[in-house]
């Protein structure tokens, strides 16, 4: 068994192969120099600490105990599907019975002049995180491009490190994708309170190096001078290996509900793949989320061992900014209506489709206040429940009771 | 043996959990669907998040941060991301009061 990509999904798959009793060789190929590590802390705890090592998922001891051969710093370049051999850039060849592609995603580049210039950073790897953190000294002028989760987390971390932070978003508001306006407004207010200069609705024309920093040029002619710019405008699936090996790519490596590609011996999981989701009419989606990577890694492992499980987990995501957590379960594309529930310290938002089905729920506030209810909402989404609107809005009605109803 | 009063039995719904603090220690007290009470360490073994904010389903407690799950009767960690078991404590009920042996 060979797993390409030693990230969240790859590490989980390798462990799951062992947990399910597979006794043959398990090789985990990763092009980063580290043992598999957690990515979510890169924009959170890692920014707030001085840690010199990444938060590891499987350390040397665990890899050895689970007899997982981890090849670090090894990049896979091509799969010879007829011979069932994986080729690495360093010349090594690895024969496989089943292979999992878990190559993740990479930061989307700004399609403007100067985007590759000095002082322009992105955040995906631990190396990126160290380079960014080194810039976050008190008084540093930092401009974040992109009001999505990672951009906002970086802005919060930089503000906490006493940097002067400007955040530029091209859309009319932050968090356009995936959360209701009311949630975005609350998050925006928290950033304003922390002193972040939020500028929404500004297109970006380019970047120019300056003697001691970089200028971000906006479409309206404004220039924002800063010591560094962080671009957080989403991720593109890492599909080069799949493409080089003749596998179909459609917004990610194309897999079926069992996470299998058109080659019966090759699977894909995590940020790199797109799959049909039964809860959303079989629509092909791709997620960039930690729990999805874990669950898909585990499910792919089961199917590599001959299972035929279909992936149907409700999409779930969280983000931490300042002292607040945001959690989102489900997808809100089909939503026609949003119902709010006031929990005092936190707030929940339920998104209903035209037929009354609960399709998504988001919560914002202290984690302890919202987490349990989002989890219950997630179960309702999985059951395609059509909960009563008045009940959803009233904090006195327990969601657990609605779930049982 | 150090039995201390955690709460009254009617302070926790069935299939629910509550937080109990004793000095600088913190615990989670569970009321199971068949009306029994259990106690564990309060913090998740993954990242020190309080389990009393989590969700009780039958005999499992699910952590509110990354959904790690434990059987609260014996503290067993039920799979990734949690791999270290939770410490449990003896519990008894006397006159409508839940007592925990905090050791
Ligand atoms: C800064 C940051 C913060 C995040 N915060 C959150 C959060 O709060 N909540 C949440 O739900 N999600 C969060 N995420 C998303 C989450 O981390 C990802 O969804 C998850 O890491 C995806 O796992 P993966 O295994 O698919 O990909 P990755 O973890 O990216 O792993 C892929 C690995 O494959 C390697 N690789 C790629 N190509 C090759 C090749 N050809 N050969 C060998 N190796 C290769 C890559 O270098 C990488 O190490 C965050 C992501 C980032 C970057
Ligand atoms: S903190 Fe409990 S599962 Fe991560």
């Amino acid at each position: 068994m060979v797993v390409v990509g030693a990230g969240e999904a790859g590490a989980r798959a390798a462990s799951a192969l062992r947990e399910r009793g597979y006794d043959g060789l398990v090789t985990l190929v990763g092009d980063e120099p580290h043992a598999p590590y957690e990515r979510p802390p890169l924009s959170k705890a890692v920014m707030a600490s001085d840690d010199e090592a990444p938060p590891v998922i499987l350390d040397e001891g665990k890899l050895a105990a689970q007899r997982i051969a981890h090849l670090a710093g090894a990049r896979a370049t091509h799969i010879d599907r007829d011979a069932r051999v994986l080729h690495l850039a360093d010349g090594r060849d690895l024969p496989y019975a089943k292979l999992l592609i878990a190559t993740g995603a990479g930061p989307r580049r700004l399609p403007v002049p100067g985007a590759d210039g000095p002082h322009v950073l992105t955040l995906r790897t631990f190396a990126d995180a160290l380079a960014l953190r080194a810039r976050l000294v008190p008084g540093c002028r930092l401009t974040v491009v992109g009001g999505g989760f990672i951009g906002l987390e970086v802005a919060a971390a930089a503000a906490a490190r006493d940097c002067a932070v400007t955040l530029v978003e091209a859309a009319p508001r932050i968090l356009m994708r995936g959360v209701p306006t009311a949630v975005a407004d609350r998050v925006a207010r928290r950033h304003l309170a922390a002193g972040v200069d939020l500028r929404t609705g500004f297109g970006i024309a380019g970047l120019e190096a300056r003697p001691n920093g970089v200028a971000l040029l906006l479409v309206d002619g404004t220039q924002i001078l800063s010591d560094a710019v962080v671009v957080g405008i989403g991720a593109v699936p890492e599909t080069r290996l799949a493409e080089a090996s003749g596998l179909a790519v459609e917004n990610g490596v194309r897999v079926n509900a069992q996470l299998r590609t058109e080659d019966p011996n090759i699977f894909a999981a995590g940020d790199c793949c797109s799959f049909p989701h039964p809860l959303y009419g079989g629509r092909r989606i791709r997620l960039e989320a930690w729990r999805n990577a874990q669950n898909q890694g585990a499910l792919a492992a089961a199917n590599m061992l001959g299972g035929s499980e279909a992936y149907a987990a409700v999409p779930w995501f969280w983000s931490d900014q300042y002292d607040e957590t945001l959690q989102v379960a489900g997808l809100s594309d089909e939503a026609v209506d949003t119902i709010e529930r006031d929990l005092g310290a936190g707030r929940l938002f339920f998104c209903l489709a035209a037929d009354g089905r609960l399709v998504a729920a988001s919560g914002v506030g202290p984690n302890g206040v919202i987490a349990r209810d989002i989890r219950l909402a997630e179960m309702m989404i999985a059951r395609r429940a059509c909960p009563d609107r008045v009940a959803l809005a009233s904090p006195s009605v327990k969601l657990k009771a609605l779930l049982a109803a | 043996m150090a039995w201390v009063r955690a709460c009254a039995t009617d302070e926790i719904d069935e299939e629910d959990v509550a937080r109990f603090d004793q000095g600088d220690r913190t615990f989670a007290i569970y009321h199971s669907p068949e009306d029994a009470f259990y106690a564990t360490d309060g913090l998740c073994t993954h990242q020190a998040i309080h389990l009393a904010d989590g969700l009780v389903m039958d005999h499992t407690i699910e952590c509110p941060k990354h959904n790690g799950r434990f059987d609260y009767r014996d503290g067993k960690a039920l799979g990734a991301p949690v791999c270290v078991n939770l410490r449990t404590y003896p519990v008894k009920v006397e006159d409508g009061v839940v007592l925990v042996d905090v050791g």
Side-chain angles (χ1 to χ4, degrees):
Chain A
M1 300 279 163
V2 172
V3 178
V4 182
E8 242 24 286
R12 184 83 281 279
S15 293
L17 286 169
R18 288 294 182 229
E19 285 157 17
R20 289 181 172 267
Y22 178 70
D23 204 38
L25 289 177
V26 175
T27 310
L28 181 58
V29 180
D31 59 1
E32 293 190 67
H34 313 281
Y37 61 87
E38 303 276 15
R39 248 164 256 282
L42 298 183
S43 47
K44 308 177 182 77
V46 170
M47 286 296 141
S49 74
D50 295 312
D51 295 349
E52 290 297 329
V56 164
I57 305 169
L58 291 173
D59 59 20
E60 297 303 328
K62 280 189 195 158
L63 287 165
Q66 299 179 21
R67 290 180 298 120
I68 298 170
H70 174 229
L71 309 185
R75 193 161 53 83
T77 50
H78 181 249
I79 309 167
D80 181 340
R81 290 163 46 196
D82 293 331
R84 278 203 241 156
V85 172
L86 175 73
H87 297 294
L88 306 188
D90 58 18
R92 278 181 286 184
D93 292 339
L94 300 174
Y96 65 86
K98 303 283 178 205
L99 181 133
L100 176 66
I101 301 179
T103 45
R108 188 183 299 279
R109 308 272 153 190
L110 260 180
V112 298
D116 300 325
H119 313 300
V120 183
L121 314 176
T122 53
L123 178 57
R124 178 77 194 181
T125 64
F126 186 65
D128 294 340
L130 290 185
L132 172 58
R133 194 176 67 190
R135 299 296 198 114
L136 302 184
V137 293
C140 158
R141 297 163 303 167
L142 181 78
T143 301
V144 178
V145 177
F149 292 107
I150 292 184
L152 290 166
E153 287 185 0
V154 167
R161 287 198 159 223
D162 293 326
C163 302
V165 186
T166 306
L167 188 141
V168 182
E169 164 61 54
R173 67 161 167 97
I174 59 167
L175 297 174
M176 270 306 266
R177 274 191 349 186
V179 307
T181 311
V183 177
D185 287 347
R186 175 169 172 146
V187 174
R189 280 197 300 278
R190 188 67 190 78
H191 280 273
L192 291 172
V196 175
D197 180 2
L198 274 187
R199 305 199 192 175
T200 50
F202 286 96
I204 288 156
L207 289 135
E208 271 174 19
R210 289 293 149 83
N212 45 17
V214 53
L216 183 71
L217 316 177
L218 303 184
V219 171
D220 71 354
T222 320
Q223 299 196 3
I224 302 173
L225 287 176
S226 39
D227 300 301
V229 170
V230 181
V231 179
I233 55 167
V236 281
E238 174 52 70
T239 57
R240 280 176 293 183
L241 175 65
E243 278 167 71
S245 313
L247 293 166
V249 168
E250 186 182 339
N251 179 30
V253 183
R254 192 189 155 95
V255 292
N256 65 13
Q258 280 121 45
L259 307 182
R260 199 186 294 263
T261 65
E262 72 263 35
D263 183 324
N265 299 314
I266 303 181
F267 296 75
D271 286 12
C272 72
C273 77
S274 71
F275 59 97
H277 203 301
L279 268 180
Y280 301 97
R283 191 152 49 90
R284 182 162 288 280
I285 62 171
R286 187 175 69 81
L287 299 172
E288 289 166 10
W290 179 86
R291 198 165 86 189
N292 175 66
Q294 297 250 339
N295 290 344
Q296 288 196 336
L299 185 126
N303 290 349
M304 286 164 83
L305 297 176
S308 55
E309 292 176 33
Y311 189 75
V314 176
W316 179 86
F317 185 90
W318 95 95
S319 170
D320 297 328
Q321 293 165 40
Y322 308 103
D323 43 6
E324 296 215 319
T325 286
L326 201 147
Q327 289 195 3
V328 185
L331 298 178
S332 57
D333 321 33
E334 289 172 79
V336 294
D337 214 357
T338 303
I339 292 171
E340 220 173 300
R341 173 184 282 224
D342 190 348
L343 300 176
R347 225 164 249 269
L348 301 176
F349 301 84
F350 301 98
C351 299
L352 302 180
D355 59 0
R357 225 171 359 114
L358 182 66
V359 286
S362 37
V364 57
N367 188 67
V369 174
I370 58 152
R372 189 196 310 221
D373 283 340
I374 292 296
R375 183 71 177 101
L376 287 163
E378 182 194 326
M379 294 181 195
M380 284 194 261
I381 295 169
R383 291 184 194 176
R384 298 177 160 86
C386 299
D388 180 70
R389 287 156 188 263
V390 178
L392 278 181
S394 16
S396 58
V397 181
K398 290 198 164 189
L399 290 189
K400 211 167 187 173
L402 286 182
L403 180 69
Chain B
M1 285 285 163
W3 290 98
V4 294
R5 179 190 191 281
C7 58
T9 50
D10 60 7
E11 281 174 55
I12 314 176
D13 290 345
E14 272 184 21
E15 209 181 32
D16 208 348
V17 55
R19 176 179 179 143
F20 166 58
D21 293 320
Q22 152 90 8
D24 54 5
R25 297 168 69 192
T26 185
F27 304 89
I29 314 292
Y30 308 85
H31 191 171
S32 78
E34 61 288 318
D35 201 20
F37 287 84
Y38 298 88
T40 70
D41 269 338
L43 301 181
C44 181
T45 57
H46 183 229
Q47 270 181 22
I49 294 293
H50 212 293
L51 293 169
D53 294 322
L55 181 65
V56 177
M57 299 290 279
D58 285 330
H59 299 115
T60 60
I61 172 72
E62 190 180 76
C63 173
K65 193 73 206 179
H66 313 112
N67 312 110
R69 291 188 304 125
F70 303 90
D71 187 325
Y72 56 77
R73 294 170 300 182
D74 57 8
K76 193 168 169 12
L78 299 175
V82 290
C83 44
V84 178
N85 293 345
L86 264 183
R87 179 159 173 206
T88 57
Y89 300 87
V91 170
K92 64 182 177 186
V93 175
E94 281 175 5
D95 302 331
V97 169
V98 180
L99 300 161
V100 179
D101 179 1
V102 297

